[in-house]
């Protein structure tokens, strides 16, 4: 039973990391297009939103982890995928709204990280004894590494099929 649960957690981690990394190539292109090909502005927005997401994640991860101790792990696992759907729809429907897309980026970074890192680590710790925890964490890290390796290829294929514009890049968000 424990191995089955760890396998499910690893699968969840794999798909959560895929959700997180699917935007690695397209977001810079999207923001470059939104900033009228001004690389400095696009880089500044990407850097600032990453910094904001990092700072806010410190609070969200701690508070969300404590909350999941009381209400259970399942809602925490669902926050990342559900928010990606909602935020993806917002981007697809508003491909030229730079402030909205920046806010969506911050929220996506925070919520997918929480849903993956915090929830998966807590769930593995809930399921495994101390002697099995290291092996389970190693399996979860393998799933994470595979997702980080494979996702850019998937995204690259989507980007290859779509034109260079927010209209084309939004298909990555739809995926």
């Amino acid at each position: 039973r424990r191995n089955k649960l760890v396998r499910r957690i690893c699968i969840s981690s794999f798909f959560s990391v895929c959700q997180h990394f699917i935007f690695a190539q397209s977001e810079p292109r999207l923001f470059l297009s939104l900033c009228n090909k001004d690389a400095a502005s696009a880089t500044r927005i990407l850097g600032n939103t990453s910094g904001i997401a990092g700072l806010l994640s410190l609070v969200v991860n701690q508070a969300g982890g404590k909350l999941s101790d009381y209400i259970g792990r399942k809602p925490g696992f669902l926050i990342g995928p559900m928010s990606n759907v909602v935020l993806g729809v917002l981007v697809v429907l508003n491909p030229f709204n730079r402030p909205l897309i920046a806010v969506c980026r911050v929220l996506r970074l925070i919520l997918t990280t929480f849903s993956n890192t915090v929830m998966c680590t807590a769930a593995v710790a809930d399921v495994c004894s101390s002697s099995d925890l290291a092996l389970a964490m190693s399996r979860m890290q393998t799933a994470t590494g595979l997702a980080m390796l494979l996702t850019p290829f998937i995204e690259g294929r989507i980007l290859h099929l779509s034109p260079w514009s927010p209209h084309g890049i939004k298909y990555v968000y739809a995926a």
Side-chain angles (χ1 to χ4, degrees):
R1 175 161 163 71
R2 180 178 303 147
N3 286 336
K4 191 175 189 178
L5 289 172
V6 169
R7 188 176 319 120
R8 286 182 181 167
I9 294 167
C10 289
I11 290 168
S12 174
S13 178
F14 175 83
F15 285 114
S16 184
V17 171
C18 284
Q19 285 182 338
H20 193 75
F21 275 87
I22 192 93
F23 305 103
Q25 300 168 71
S26 57
E27 271 189 338
R29 287 175 61 180
L30 176 61
F31 280 97
L32 188 60
S33 178
L34 290 172
C35 294
N36 297 318
K37 307 250 191 267
D38 180 358
S41 293
T43 303
R44 188 171 31 259
I45 292 170
L46 289 167
N48 288 341
T49 55
S50 292
I52 292 166
L55 288 173
L56 293 175
S57 288
L58 293 172
V59 176
V60 170
N61 289 350
Q62 292 298 318
K66 295 290 183 193
L67 182 63
S68 75
D69 289 342
Y70 296 110
I71 65 172
R73 305 289 184 223
K74 286 182 185 178
F77 276 112
L78 293 174
I79 286 173
M82 297 306 292
S83 66
N84 270 339
V85 169
V86 171
L87 297 171
V89 167
L90 285 172
V91 170
V92 168
L93 295 176
N94 301 285
F96 298 104
N97 188 335
R98 187 170 45 185
L100 175 69
I101 294 172
V103 169
C104 287
R105 180 176 195 270
V106 170
L107 292 173
R108 184 185 54 76
L109 290 171
I110 293 169
L111 297 175
T112 56
T113 300
F114 171 77
S115 186
N116 178 38
T117 307
V118 176
M119 287 298 97
C120 288
T121 303
V124 166
D126 291 344
V127 171
C128 295
S129 62
S130 59
S131 60
D132 296 330
L133 186 59
L135 180 60
M137 291 298 290
S138 175
R139 288 181 181 161
M140 194 172 76
Q141 290 169 352
T142 300
T144 298
L146 283 173
M148 291 172 69
L149 178 69
L150 295 175
T151 304
F153 292 107
I154 297 167
E155 181 188 17
R157 186 69 183 146
I158 294 169
L159 290 174
H160 177 73
L161 297 172
S162 65
W164 169 268
S165 73
H167 285 298
I169 295 168
K170 71 182 180 181
Y171 296 120
V172 174
Y173 277 86

